[in-house]
């Protein structure tokens, strides 16, 4: 009788071992890192209709050294900067655009907006502006073409 209990006990242990109940869980498959879009907090997007255009031009940036400057006078009516960005590369880390608007009468009325890097990755963006006067617009970018519209805002 002792031998039967011992044999039965050994059979149960053998069955458990064969069924895999005593094995440690298989390691989780490793994932290769994929390129992800950086998380950037941006101001809420407001859309509005544009009126009379002060500037409507397309710019291409093929290197970080490309800089374009425009100078114009805007009226005291509410106006906006509207950009539509078309990346020319899939390399998200190096695809960006920035426009700096500086009021020449009062440099306190300046604003820097853009796409990529520390800015939003939305390809179409509008930025409301309020103060009129002479402005200088400096545009920099890398691996993008950008359609820039500076115009009054319709009510």
């Amino acid at each position: 009788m002792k031998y039967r209990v011992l044999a039965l006990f050994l059979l149960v242990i053998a069955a458990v071992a064969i069924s895999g109940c005593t094995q440690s869980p298989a390691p989780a498959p490793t994932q290769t890192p994929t390129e992800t879009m950086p998380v950037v907090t941006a101001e809420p997007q407001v859309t509005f209709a544009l009126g009379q255009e002060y500037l409507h031009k397309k710019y291409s940036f093929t290197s970080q050294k490309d800089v374009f400057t425009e100078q114009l006078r805007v009226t005291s009516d509410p106006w906006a900067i509207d950009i539509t960005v078309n990346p020319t590369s899939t390399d998200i880390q190096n695809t960006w655009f920035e426009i700096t608007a500086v009021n020449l009468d009062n440099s306190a009325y300046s604003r820097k907006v853009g796409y990529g890097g520390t800015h939003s990755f939305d390809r179409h963006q509008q930025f409301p502006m309020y103060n009129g006067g002479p402005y200088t617009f400096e545009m920099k970018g890398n691996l993008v073409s950008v359609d820039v519209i500076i115009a009054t805002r319709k009510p």
Side-chain angles (χ1 to χ4, degrees), residues 19-151:
S19 69
C21 293
T22 60
Q23 295 178 354
S24 62
T30 57
Q31 295 179 348
T32 56
T34 58
E35 186 173 322
T36 60
M37 187 175 291
V39 177
V40 176
T41 55
E43 57 190 69
Q45 286 296 312
V46 178
T47 57
F48 36 80
L50 299 176
Q52 176 189 3
E53 293 179 352
Y54 298 110
L55 175 76
H56 188 169
K57 211 169 184 182
K58 189 167 197 142
Y59 301 90
S60 288
F61 300 89
T62 56
S63 80
Q64 295 184 20
K65 296 178 182 179
D66 293 341
V67 177
F68 296 96
T69 304
E70 299 286 346
Q71 197 167 0
L72 53 101
R73 177 176 288 280
V74 295
T75 64
S76 59
D77 296 329
W79 56 286
I81 300 171
D82 181 290
I83 61 172
T84 304
V85 179
N86 295 307
T88 58
S89 171
T90 57
D91 182 5
I92 256 182
Q93 298 299 324
N94 291 316
T95 303
W96 59 274
F97 170 75
E98 190 170 77
I99 182 169
T100 305
V102 178
N103 184 310
L104 299 176
D105 286 343
N106 183 352
S107 61
Y109 297 123
S110 67
R111 187 165 184 195
K112 188 180 290 193
V113 295
Y115 165 87
T118 60
H119 303 287
S120 169
F121 280 88
D122 291 336
R123 291 187 180 180
H124 179 246
Q125 300 178 47
Q126 292 181 318
F127 306 97
M129 303 290 282
Y130 300 96
N131 299 308
Y135 276 82
T136 238
F137 298 91
E138 182 180 78
M139 293 162 274
K140 300 175 183 178
N142 189 40
L143 302 174
V144 293
S145 68
V146 184
D147 190 30
V148 176
I149 301 172
I150 299 172

